[in-house]
């Protein structure tokens, strides 16, 4: 998915795959409810990873024809397994490829879809141009990304913010941008996409929304930050004490009197 | 509106009144579209200021009966003038009073409404309890507040964030909390309100949404931060050079390749 796959900040472990599946279930409605491809449409999912988004795409576009690409064989294997149990499994092809050098002829697809991919690459413009080449003129591009800098919570805590800053910095050192959501509009506009429309998707969790507190605050966001523990220490961004204090403070936002806020950005645009 | 009215961070100048009216027009639909009181309902607007929200409340509930309270005579005068030109003007009473000691009998109102008020008071719980006394059991309370800590933008800038931090700190030194939005849920729950529901209202501005870029980013948010210039220097929170650099960086987010994000919080709850 990146120039150097070994640098993917979240890693490729089994527990990471479980986290991504949890995240996708909780967020699917918020992020994907308005993505429906028509019967027969040829859709490229670029950077499908373990298929966490693929299953939701299929559910909403059961008659479209998907080609799902990733550079990591173990992820593709997991994605194939996730999709195999679905009725629409035969409508999906999996292809191992580098997003920067897609092995498809120009205008091979009607639509392209990328989710949680551009945040991890050093040259998101190059990925976008690569996608624009293989989508026919008039076809669409859909991009969904998070923005870790959009995070705020109660009780506020400098220690908790420190752990998030470590994740952002670790991702930056791998060439990514964990705060990419806020810049989707200029990014898509500048590569020449048309009719760029950005739709923020705000996540809010408090005690009256237990599904979000558990599914998002705890199992998605805190779990994701915890995943940067080893890298943060290795890179000298934090130490054990500061890290433990920060994670505890972050978990505090998932208690009964806490609240948690995060913003995803979904952009759509037209090619050509 | 506060224990010490002279400490109100935004001041009471004419240009400040114009800014508040601009802000209310741009935001009215986002913040107020779902607040409609029925014919004959007795509604208390607590801390009406110059009437910037009052005119929008009236437009959506033309048959309700409003009592608008503020502690500042010049604001009440402006509010009265703003409402006087409206058809529903006769349905509004203006009363000068301290929100902590409302001159009304218990259960005098069916509903209470507060907007951009709790962020300025040192004891928001006391204001809420004061409102709970004068609303009948089963009546509703609606609270709308911002959260300056929710702000993020592209291009990001530490200098720009510095000016926002100055406003937050100046407001804190006056006893307020400019980041109160995120804690409305625990605040309303802890004073004993029931069925507390918090609805975030996300503002997003990019070039494709010029009304928001001009009406919100420039004329509301940047104008509000600029209003904290004098206080920030007086309190020693900034200096002229850092301030100018920060404001310029903030304005950068309103240019063609910039984006701007802010979150308001609207809470509703039931009394008794």
């Amino acid at each position: 998915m990146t120039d150097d796959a070994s640098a993917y900040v979240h890693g490729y472990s089994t527990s990471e795959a479980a986290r991504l599946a949890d995240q996708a279930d909780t967020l699917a409605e918020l992020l994907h409810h308005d993505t429906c491809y028509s019967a027969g449409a040829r859709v490229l999912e670029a950077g499908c990873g373990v298929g966490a988004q693929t299953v939701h795409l299929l559910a909403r576009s059961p008659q479209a024809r998907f080609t799902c690409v990733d550079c990591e064989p173990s992820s593709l294997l997991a994605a194939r397994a996730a999709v195999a149990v679905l009725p629409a499994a035969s409508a999906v092809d999996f292809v191992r490829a580098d997003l920067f050098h897609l092995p498809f002829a120009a205008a091979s697809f009607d639509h392209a879809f990328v989710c949680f991919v551009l945040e991890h690459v050093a040259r998101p413009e190059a990925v976008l141009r690569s996608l624009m080449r293989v989508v026919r003129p008039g076809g669409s591009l859909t991009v969904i990304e998070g923005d870790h800098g959009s995070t705020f919570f109660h009780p506020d805590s400098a220690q908790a913010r420190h752990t998030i800053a470590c994740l952002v910095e670790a991702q930056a050192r791998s060439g990514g941008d964990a705060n990419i959501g806020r810049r989707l509009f200029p990014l898509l506009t500048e590569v020449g996409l048309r009719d760029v429309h950005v739709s923020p998707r705000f996540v809010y969790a408090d005690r009256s929304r237990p599904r979000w507190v558990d599914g998002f605050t705890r199992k998605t966001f805190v779990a994701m930050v915890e995943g940067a523990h080893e890298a943060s220490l290795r890179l000298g961004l934090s130490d054990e004490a500061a890290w433990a204090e920060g994670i505890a403070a972050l978990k505090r936002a998932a208690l009964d009197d806490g609240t948690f806020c995060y913003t995803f950005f979904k952009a759509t645009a037209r090619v050509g």
Side-chain angles (χ1 to χ4, degrees), chain A:
Chain A
M1 186 177 336
T2 62
D3 284 320
D4 171 9
S6 67
Y8 180 52
V9 70
H10 301 318
Y12 295 105
S13 66
T14 310
S15 65
E16 173 60 15
R19 187 188 70 77
L20 291 176
D22 256 359
Q23 169 175 329
D25 286 341
T26 310
L27 290 175
E29 183 61 22
L30 182 72
L31 301 181
H32 301 311
H33 71 89
D34 50 354
T35 296
C36 306
Y37 299 111
S38 56
R42 300 160 303 165
V43 183
L44 172 66
E45 186 192 6
C48 65
V50 298
Q53 316 305 321
T54 314
V55 296
H56 298 290
L57 282 178
L58 281 171
R60 285 166 182 77
S61 304
Q63 314 232 46
R65 174 94 219 156
F66 288 89
T67 301
C68 299
V69 166
D70 208 280
C71 64
E72 176 57 36
S74 64
S75 296
L76 276 177
L77 213 61
R80 197 184 292 270
V83 164
V85 299
L86 304 176
S90 64
V92 189
D93 287 325
F94 291 95
V95 176
R96 183 183 176 194
D98 176 355
L99 299 192
F100 296 92
H101 304 97
L102 291 167
F104 308 113
S108 298
F109 298 96
D110 299 302
H111 310 285
F113 176 93
V114 274
C115 184
F116 307 145
V117 170
L118 299 186
E119 61 166 323
H120 295 297
V121 302
R123 297 179 291 126
E125 299 86 350
V127 172
L128 291 172
R129 289 203 183 88
S130 178
L131 295 173
M132 290 162 74
R133 183 186 69 78
V134 300
V135 172
R136 66 166 169 80
S140 80
L141 176 64
T142 298
V143 181
I144 301 176
E145 297 289 344
D147 190 313
H148 297 353
S150 75
T151 312
F152 62 104
F153 40 86
H154 174 77
D156 190 19
S157 153
Q159 289 78 15
R161 282 187 267 116
H162 161 73
T163 61
I164 300 169
C166 286
L167 170 56
V168 171
E169 180 60 23
Q171 195 158 329
R173 302 231 184 146
S174 297
D177 177 3
N179 298 343
I180 200 170
R182 72 187 72 179
R183 66 184 180 96
L184 286 187
F185 182 84
L187 199 55
L188 271 63
T189 304
E190 282 156 21
V191 295
L193 285 158
R194 302 167 73 164
D195 303 337
V196 177
H197 176 78
V198 173
S199 162
R201 308 283 158 112
F202 191 81
V203 171
Y204 170 70
D206 67 27
R207 192 184 62 191
S208 70
R209 308 175 187 224
R211 195 165 166 273
W212 286 102
V213 174
D214 191 57
F216 189 78
T217 311
R218 283 201 191 94
K219 290 186 180 157
T220 299
F221 191 82
V222 178
M224 176 180 67
V225 176
E226 284 184 308
H229 179 193
E230 189 275 324
S232 300
L233 266 59
R234 178 170 40 80
L235 295 168
L237 305 173
S238 189
D239 59 52
E240 283 293 2
W243 186 265
E245 197 181 350
I247 293 294
L250 203 52
K251 288 180 174 171
R252 192 56 198 77
L255 297 188
D256 273 0
D257 63 347
T259 66
F260 190 87
C261 302
Y262 186 92
T263 308
F264 292 92
F265 290 83
K266 180 171 188 170
T268 54
R270 199 158 51 81
V271 174

